């Protein structure tokens, strides 16, 4: 049996997994991300943790195909990062450094893209080769899989779908400096913004609390039948559905996989997204499926392992 | 030396080329497209023409790697077309039929996508592996090349960029049934529509003729310094630039190649597109280049030949 490691490097923890080449997860663990001194200990710590697991599982190094890693930054095709705010990195040759530290072939990708690959392999996109994962978290991230491979792009910035413009009339600014980005409406933060706007001018009774409302509150209230919450969800879904219709006309996916913290609201989300999508979708893209992500926090380590297996 | 054929099947003519595997074009010719009886003679005519050229050039069939063909329709990964209005085809297994007719390996793609591949190989996108070609003709077509390969998509409908929504406030309908498609502003027809709208409410002097204006007239007038024409070009460029900014955030190209009849206006077009692009582009996508297509009508046969060489 051959093995590989999947590593998901986040700003707080590094999630790691040991996989059989068949895809079975043998072990799963985490270490703390040491972002001090420009994050210089992060990759050495990952390498040391992998060495320990190799010993613990009594593996022979020749049986290990390689290491895959997702990092929170654009990554070039050569495995280079030109800065990651979350990790403290400036320019870093991640692939080269990890290979030198471990002696194992390494494959590096952007974390959202790698998670999308994981969902294609074992999650919501299983069985498909053309899919788009949309991660509705603090921001809106995503990954586009074309013919089974991550769309990396010329700057490693492919699939930055949170910054699709979906409203050319927006006056509020997105964190990126533009106005009208999908992230301003469909992230957890964006939903709170929409809720506050709505609640500020709403006279009808609602179970939502104007002072202290979260994205989860909004969808809990939707499930409880709250009309005001439903209207907030409608605005959220319209921008997201319109944005996904524009994505589909470019990438023609078979399935959209909806993940991230907001997606924990569950199936209740889907009709709010699908209906405006169908209203705007190009006829050739109307047969797309919408599904929830399935792997949760494991998407990153799974996708990272798949990076290795695909490049074997 | 090995050889291949590149075929560009249009609604009026079929353009064909004989290529050396090095990329040199040895011969170029056209035959008429016979669209009668659901276009049933089209592929047999192509096959017969190829057989004649093989004899004429005294080639040995074993030295021919294959045939590439672009067709005006979405094409699945299996080389199947589910209908082409321009050719009269309903369901057609193009790859299978062409292989049976010629005994040569065949590779089929959508014509706009194949032309994009041609421009990447020998035209405006030469040297790049991530590019987007935008064809501004009667409609707006395009092709997206990711890591050197055509983005085909799950329905063969990848890169349908004429139907990106760039104006959610539009009330006029696009041919596709939606409102606000890029094609409504950036095609030759769309530019005429913008010009008529402008000229209908314009009091200033202009060399443009309200009754009979073409896209070429508009850009000729721009070159002559006509202020009204410049404002029409500004509206055209804003929608196109905004649309390309949304494309870039998805696909992260190194270069946009602008082709089609409208692009014959030349370099004068580029600043009208680049300026609004830069205003809306995500920071990671600001280093993209804008260039004019170089191959003209040869893009299709070149890209079709490249399809063969890439799959060799």
């Amino acid at each position: 049996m051959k093995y590989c490691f999947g590593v998901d490097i986040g700003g707080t923890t590094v999630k790691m997994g040991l996989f059989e080449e068949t895809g079975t997860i043998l072990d799963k663990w985490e270490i703390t991300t040491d972002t001090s001194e420009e994050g210089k200990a992060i990759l050495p710590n990952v390498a040391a943790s992998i060495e320990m697991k190799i010993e613990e599982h009594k593996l022979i190094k020749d049986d290990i195909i390689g290491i895959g890693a997702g990092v929170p930054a654009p990554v070039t095709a050569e495995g280079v990062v030109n800065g990651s705010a979350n990790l403290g990195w400036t320019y870093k040759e991640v692939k080269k450094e990890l290979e030198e530290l471990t002696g194992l072939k390494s494959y590096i990708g952007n974390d959202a893209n790698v998670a999308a690959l994981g969902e294609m392999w074992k999650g919501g996109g299983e069985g498909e080769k053309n899919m788009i994962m949309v991660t509705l978290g603090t921001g809106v991230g995503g990954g586009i899989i074309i013919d089974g491979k991550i769309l990396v792009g010329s700057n490693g910035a492919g699939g930055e779908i949170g910054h699709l413009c979906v409203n050319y009339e927006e006056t509020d600014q997105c964190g990126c400096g533009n106005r009208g980005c999908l992230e301003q409406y469909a992230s957890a933060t964006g939903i709170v913004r929409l809720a506050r706007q709505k609640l500020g001018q709403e006279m009808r009774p609602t179970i939502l609390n104007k002072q202290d409302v979260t994205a989860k509150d909004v969808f809990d209230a939707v499930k409880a039948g709250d009309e005001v919450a439903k209207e907030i969800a409608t605005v959220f879904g319209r921008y997201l559905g319109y944005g996904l219709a524009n994505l589909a006309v470019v990438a023609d996916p078979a399935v959209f996989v909806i993940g991230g913290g907001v997606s924990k609201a569950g199936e209740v989300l889907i009709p709010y997204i699908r209906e405006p999508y169908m209203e705007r979708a190009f006829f050739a893209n109307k047969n797309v499926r919408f599904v929830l992500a399935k792997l949760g926090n494991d998407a990153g380590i799974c996708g990272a392992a798949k990076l290795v297996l695909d490049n074997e």
Side-chain angles (χ1 to χ4, degrees), chain A:
Chain A
M1 179 63 71
K2 301 273 184 182
Y3 306 88
C4 67
F5 289 92
V7 180
D8 182 12
I9 305 180
T12 312
T13 60
V14 181
K15 295 180 183 66
M16 305 176 75
L18 169 61
F19 292 75
E20 291 183 348
E21 63 181 333
T22 56
T24 306
I25 305 181
L26 291 179
D27 196 354
K28 242 175 32 172
W29 69 101
E30 297 188 3
I31 61 174
T32 302
T33 308
D34 179 359
T35 57
S36 66
E37 294 181 72
E38 296 192 338
K40 71 175 190 179
I42 295 173
L43 293 178
N45 289 349
V46 166
S49 184
I50 284 173
E51 296 289 352
M52 277 177 55
K53 283 292 169 179
I54 291 174
E55 276 189 37
E56 186 186 322
H57 288 272
K58 300 186 171 47
L59 303 177
I60 302 161
K61 219 156 183 178
D62 281 353
D63 288 340
I64 298 167
I65 309 164
I67 302 169
V71 300
V75 181
T76 70
E78 293 73 37
V80 173
V81 164
N82 285 297
S84 169
N86 292 341
L87 304 183
W89 290 351
T90 50
Y91 175 87
K92 192 168 272 291
E93 296 178 353
V94 184
K95 177 184 170 68
K96 186 163 169 248
E97 190 173 329
L98 199 54
E99 289 185 342
E100 285 172 1
L101 285 163
T102 61
L104 294 167
K105 282 284 260 180
S106 300
Y107 304 91
I108 319 298
N110 168 267
D111 57 355
N113 289 346
V114 166
L117 191 64
E119 284 286 343
M120 184 199 75
W121 187 31
K122 292 165 160 275
E126 200 175 341
E128 299 292 355
K129 299 183 82 177
N130 290 282
M131 67 155 251
I132 296 180
M133 179 161 175
V134 184
T135 307
L136 309 173
T138 313
V140 170
I144 301 179
I145 309 290
I146 302 292
D147 201 20
K149 293 204 181 69
I150 293 170
L151 193 169
V152 174
S154 66
N155 299 290
E160 282 285 356
I161 65 187
H163 300 285
L164 266 179
C165 185
V166 292
N167 179 8
Y168 291 102
E169 316 301 318
E170 180 61 73
T171 52
D172 285 359
Q173 206 168 31
C174 177
C176 78
N178 283 340
R179 292 179 165 80
C181 293
L182 180 56
E183 184 159 299
Q184 289 181 275
Y185 312 95
S187 63
T189 329
I191 294 166
V192 167
R193 194 178 73 97
L194 293 178
R196 286 198 183 134
Q197 283 172 359
K198 181 81 180 168
L199 294 170
Q201 55 186 43
E202 187 54 54
M203 307 304 285
R204 287 172 297 172
T206 165
I207 57 177
L208 291 172
N209 179 333
K210 194 189 300 189
Q211 262 61 53
D212 180 26
V213 61
T214 66
K216 181 175 186 303
D217 294 340
V218 171
F219 288 103
D220 284 347
V222 167
K223 288 177 202 165
D226 188 282
E227 290 300 323
V228 174
K230 286 183 187 173
E231 289 178 17
I232 297 164
T234 299
V235 177
F236 149 87
R238 188 173 67 228
Y239 286 117
L240 182 51
Y242 285 7
L244 298 188
N246 261 1
L247 273 178
V249 94
V250 180
D252 188 18
V255 60
F256 282 110
V257 177
I258 313 292
V262 173
S263 76
K264 290 183 185 157
E267 290 291 338
V268 69
L269 280 176
I270 303 292
Y272 283 100
I273 305 168
R274 187 196 285 121
E275 197 179 303
Y277 173 87
M278 291 301 282
E279 185 194 313
R280 283 278 172 191
F282 186 57
F283 63 87
N285 307 126
K286 295 214 185 217
N287 62 350
V288 73
R289 291 182 299 120
F290 289 84
V291 303
L292 295 170
K294 287 188 184 160
L295 301 181
N297 288 334
D298 287 352
I301 58 169
C302 289
K306 181 71 170 138
L307 264 189
V308 179
L309 298 173
D310 281 348
N311 282 286
E312 198 189 345

